[in-house]
């Protein structure tokens, strides 16, 4: 059988990532150099600092990936690269490296949308079937997408303000829980009472698949502020559990409604927040009750990585998509 090895480059935010994946499925190497410890000090990602660290880390990472995959650059069939959405300076590092590799090796260059990557992380370890509805919940996005076939993306809903991950990060910061907030809020929520505080669930107009999390975020910040003013002790575990439940209720409800609206049997959750234990449990339960098949990436593939980019890259390459050396990086870019 013909094999097609794709080398993928991902630098959209604060993870420098290189992967080599065969036929969009078999991961030969998936190297991620996380900058979390560097940005923790600042309480969030500093774009310029991220770009500089991508620059330092990326070329050794290409070498490491080739070594781990036990293959040479000659064996690579094409180079896939995330060219948006993301931090422009950070993306530029990856795009420049990918262009140089493609030019120097005379190999095709394939541009990949980062959000398509998050969805395709699911395809790496699941027998995903179409048509499907995908919920992307990450640091910068909360999107509901309908797909009837590969590379066909219909946006059903998006956040009108904060992304779910952003809300996790901001309330964690307000409670001094560090960066990134999602994993620690998740952990603390497991010890708390989700019904302790009645934070709002924002569903917007009837039939809308859009999201809004800024009101919920403000409600949590107000609660913390008022408790402090009244010198009342704050039970951080309860705040985390009540906040998380409010996010999860809306995410799960809208995803199930969207799946029913489109008449699909298959649901995907993807992106960093899809690692959340409350979301995983709750959506699994609802999908079971509704007779829907649920596909989730393994935990290590939820957050940014290049294996997911290689997988989209493979399907784009097979569909004949190519970029030339004029390829640019974009802070925001339509999916598809
Ligand atoms: N267990 C968890 N529970 C909730 N949120 C989580 C969990 N693990 C990670 N996150 C959140 O996921 C986000 C990071 O995810 P990801 O790497 O996909 O986002 P990003 O790449 O920064 O944004 P985007 O993909 O939209 O460009 C952060 O906001 C982080 O707090
Ligand atoms: Mg991401």
């Amino acid at each position: 059988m013909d094999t097609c090895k794709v080398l993928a480059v991902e630098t959209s935010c604060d993870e420098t990532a290189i992967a080599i994946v065969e036929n969009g499925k078999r991961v030969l190497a998936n190297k991620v150099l996380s900058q979390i410890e560097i940005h923790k000090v600042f309480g969030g990602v500093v774009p310029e600092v991220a770009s500089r660290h991508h620059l330092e880390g990326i070329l050794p990472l290409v070498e490491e990936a080739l070594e781990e995959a036990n293959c040479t650059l000659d064996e690579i069939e094409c180079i896939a690269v995330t060219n948006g959405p993301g931090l422009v300076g950070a993306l530029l590092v990856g795009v420049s490296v990918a262009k140089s590799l493609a030019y120097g090796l005379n190999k095709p260059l394939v541009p990949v949308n980062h959000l398509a990557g998050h969805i395709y992380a699911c395809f790496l370890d699941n027998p995903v079937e179409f048509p499907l509805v995908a919920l992307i919940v990450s640091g910068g996005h909360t999107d509901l997408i309908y797909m009837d076939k590969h590379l066909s993306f219909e946006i059903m809903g998006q956040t009108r303000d904060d992304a779910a991950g952003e809300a996790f990060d901001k309330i964690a910061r307000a409670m001094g829980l560090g960066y990134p907030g999602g994993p620690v809020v998740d952990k603390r929520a497991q010890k708390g009472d989700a019904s302790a505080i009645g934070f709002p669930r924002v569903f917007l107009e009837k039939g809308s698949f859009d999201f809004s999390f800024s009101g919920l975020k403000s409600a949590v910040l107000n609660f913390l502020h008022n408790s402090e003013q009244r010198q009342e002790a704050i039970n951080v575990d309860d705040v985390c559990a009540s906040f998380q439940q409010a996010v999860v209720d809306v995410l799960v409800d809208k995803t199930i409604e969207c799946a029913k609206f489109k008449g699909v049997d298959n649901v995907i959750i993807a992106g960093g927040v899809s690692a959340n234990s409350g979301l995983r449990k709750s959506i699994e339960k609802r999908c079971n009750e509704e007779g829907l098949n649920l596909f989730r990436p393994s935990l290590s593939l939820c957050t940014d990585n290049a294996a997911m980019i290689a997988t989209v890259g493979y399907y784009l390459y097979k569909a004949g998509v190519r970029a030339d050396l004029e390829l640019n990086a974009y802070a925001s870019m339509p999916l598809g």
Side-chain angles (χ1 to χ4, degrees), residues 114 118 138 304:
H114 180 77
H118 275 306
S138 57
D304 293 351

Side-chain angles (χ1 to χ4, degrees), residues 13 114 118 138-141 165 168-169 180-183 186 271-273 275-276 302-304:
C13 192
H114 180 77
H118 275 306
S138 57
H141 296 82
F168 270 94
D169 293 338
D186 187 353
V273 183
N276 184 265
C302 287
T303 42
D304 293 351

